[in-house]
Amino acid sequence: MIPDGYANLSTLLEHQLAVYPEHRRYLEKRFKDASPEHLRLTDELAGNVLRIAGDEVRTICADYKWMVNWTLNEELYFRRNGCYRLSKFADAYAEVYSNIPLMTQYVNGILASQIWWRNHTEVLGYFRDTFVAGNPKGFRHLEVGPGHGLFLQLASASPNCASAEGWDVSPASIAATREALTRMGNRHKIDLVEMDITKPPARQFDSITFSEVLEHLEEPLAALKSLHGLLAPGGRIFVNAPANSPMPDHLYLFRSPEEVVDMMKEAGFDIVDTLFAPPTGASLEQARKQLLSVSAVVIGTRP
Ligand SMILES: C[S@@+](CC[C@H](N)C(=O)[O-])C[C@H]1O[C@@H](n2cnc3c(N)ncnc32)[C@H](O)[C@@H]1O
């Protein structure tokens, strides 16, 4: 399924298929038409995942399998009702964020999905090569909702990064991010703080990552306005939010990627660039028609 020369990807795939052999057909589709550039990117990112996983790589792969099965009900609910099952943050906190064992499995699953879901890989590559690479020397970085820690690791590894922090509402995400940064041997001392973005302190950063958090909020526009206040004038923010993406803790339904762009504008950001990434095996047009999950990435700036 993977040509020779992509050792990290082949190793991770071997572990994944060992615990989830039924996933072979999906993964064959995932890599069927992958270009050499995409395979190279996926292989490099698989190297990061392997280093973060350490000797727990089988657990990460098993948790990915668990996550795929855990979320099937949400897909059914979405197809039947045209909306997400939950709409209140308190319910998502009680069901998911406060449950440390479940949340640990969840962030492990999301970590593996960075490699197995084409849109996640594409977004992560764009984050590394366009957003982080475009940040100026000495940038002060914040990530809200780092989850598994891979985005925070990639940003803080930039030679231009002067300092980095991570804020997350879930203690399990904070622990996973701390472990990921330790295993990757980061050059900065990174503060990781348990924090709800709806109640932020008065601080300023030159660069902010807000990836797959917006759809977890009851009032996403209010959060974007808070982030606007946290961004120094001229700073850049990377927002990634999926449209039509039912998950057990997704509260706000974006019905198209354009709705994310419009909300960013309403919060006061100037739009620098966008990327709309459809899921494995679908074009953007097919994804729009069939209401499949599309990752909407927006790089914004505070004028
Ligand atoms: C789906 S994970 C995203 C992980 C990673 N950023 C990514 O894009 O793969 C969502 C993360 O956002 C955190 N989160 C959800 N609501 C939050 C809030 N109100 N304030 C801060 N973090 C929040 C969750 O605990 C979780 O770690």
Side-chain angles (χ1 to χ4, degrees), residues 80-279:
R80 284 189 186 135
N81 302 289
C83 61
Y84 295 160
R85 186 175 57 85
L86 296 187
S87 57
K88 295 280 167 227
F89 181 77
D91 294 332
Y93 191 85
E95 278 191 26
V96 183
Y97 307 128
S98 62
N99 184 334
I100 291 184
L102 179 138
M103 193 66 198
T104 304
Q105 281 188 290
Y106 187 17
V107 293
N108 283 346
I110 300 171
L111 178 64
S113 78
Q114 303 305 310
I115 306 304
W116 306 139
W117 297 0
R118 189 185 66 185
N119 53 325
H120 278 189
T121 312
E122 226 183 293
V123 167
L124 201 53
Y126 178 76
F127 173 74
R128 187 191 68 175
D129 301 335
T130 300
F131 181 73
V132 176
N135 273 345
K137 200 167 171 47
F139 74 88
R140 297 162 297 169
H141 183 72
L142 168 70
E143 174 158 1
V144 179
H148 44 78
L150 183 50
F151 284 80
L152 187 55
Q153 187 274 321
L154 289 171
S156 60
S158 159
N160 284 345
C161 180
S163 64
E165 285 184 34
W167 300 349
D168 200 296
V169 78
S170 146
S173 292
I174 295 281
T177 298
R178 181 167 292 120
E179 189 63 29
L181 294 170
T182 305
R183 288 188 176 167
M184 294 298 288
N186 240 282
R187 21 181 225 107
H188 298 289
K189 185 189 159 296
I190 298 175
D191 280 338
L192 297 172
V193 184
E194 208 176 304
M195 172 100 68
D196 182 343
I197 188 54
T198 62
K199 301 163 193 131
R203 299 278 307 281
Q204 283 222 313
F205 299 88
D206 309 301
S207 161
I208 298 178
T209 308
F210 198 53
S211 175
E212 301 221 348
V213 188
L214 200 56
E215 70 281 7
H216 293 245
L217 305 175
E218 272 180 49
E219 293 185 33
L221 177 60
L224 286 181
K225 287 181 177 168
S226 297
L227 289 163
H228 188 269
L230 289 166
L231 196 63
R236 296 157 83 237
I237 184 168
F238 177 96
V239 172
N240 170 27
N244 298 313
S245 173
M247 293 291 264
D249 51 351
H250 286 185
L251 307 179
Y252 189 92
L253 174 57
F254 289 101
R255 294 186 183 273
S256 71
E258 286 78 6
E259 284 189 9
V260 181
V261 182
D262 290 346
M263 195 180 276
M264 289 281 290
K265 288 182 188 162
E266 201 179 338
F269 294 106
D270 280 0
I271 308 303
V272 176
D273 198 19
T274 60
L275 170 80
F276 298 163

